[in-house]
Amino acid sequence: MNPQQMSGLEIMQAMCAGTLPAPSMSETIPMLTEKVELGEVHFKVKADQRHLNPLGGVHGGFAATVLDSVTGCAVFSMLEAGIGYGTIDLNVKMCRPIPQNKELIAIGTIINISKNLGISEGQIVDEDGKLYAHATATCMIIRA
């Protein structure tokens, strides 16, 4: 099916199933879509040597990018075919350093969706539920 005729949920589910390619950003910041439901998405993420700051720790931009992606995709999962979105506000809180070479889970969930705005939240956690970073995002819904 043509992605332009698919809803956001259908596109995200096709990426999760591997029938549509992942966005190229997932090559820069390793993000693998693991679960997609209406208003909720889960990514497996892992920072590596490409994501380090001058001190040798994982750069905060890694968490910010992952959280921007997962919150945006939660909004996208709510949109009809042909409707786009763009982040207009992202508020990120770093709770502890992101470890290098450890698989983490990024979860995005919808808080509210209206005609013009989608509000969502995201978190990066480990397998035990330990919180590494949290974000809220507001996305503008773009109707062509």
Side-chain angles (χ1 to χ4, degrees):
M1 180 180 256
N2 180 349
Q4 294 177 336
Q5 298 173 335
M6 299 168 71
S7 70
L9 179 62
E10 291 169 331
I11 289 171
M12 291 299 304
Q13 288 173 332
M15 286 181 193
C16 188
T19 57
L20 278 179
S24 59
M25 176 55 82
S26 66
E27 296 171 23
T28 303
I29 304 285
M31 295 181 274
L32 177 65
T33 307
E34 181 179 60
K35 175 183 170 185
V36 178
E37 295 177 356
L38 193 63
E40 183 174 335
V41 296
H42 293 215
F43 293 168
K44 286 183 182 178
V45 301
K46 187 190 294 186
D48 60 36
Q49 73 284 349
R50 298 172 296 164
H51 308 112
L52 304 182
N53 63 29
L55 297 173
V58 175
H59 192 282
F62 177 89
T65 301
V66 166
L67 289 165
D68 182 43
S69 297
V70 79
T71 55
C73 287
V75 170
F76 187 45
S77 75
M78 302 291 291
L79 302 180
E80 314 84 58
I83 307 298
Y85 71 97
T87 304
I88 59 173
D89 179 67
L90 180 68
N91 187 323
V92 178
K93 302 292 184 213
M94 309 294 186
C95 302
R96 58 179 41 89
I98 298 286
Q100 188 178 351
N101 298 316
K102 178 178 175 138
E103 191 169 271
L104 300 173
I105 304 160
I107 303 165
T109 54
I110 198 76
I111 294 173
N112 188 63
I113 191 114
S114 68
K115 181 180 177 186
N116 298 312
L117 294 177
I119 302 169
S120 57
E121 67 179 344
Q123 54 183 341
I124 299 174
V125 298
D126 66 14
E127 68 279 354
D128 297 323
K130 184 188 294 184
L131 183 65
Y132 288 84
H134 177 270
T136 55
T138 304
C139 295
M140 178 186 305
I141 297 174
I142 304 166
R143 301 179 188 277

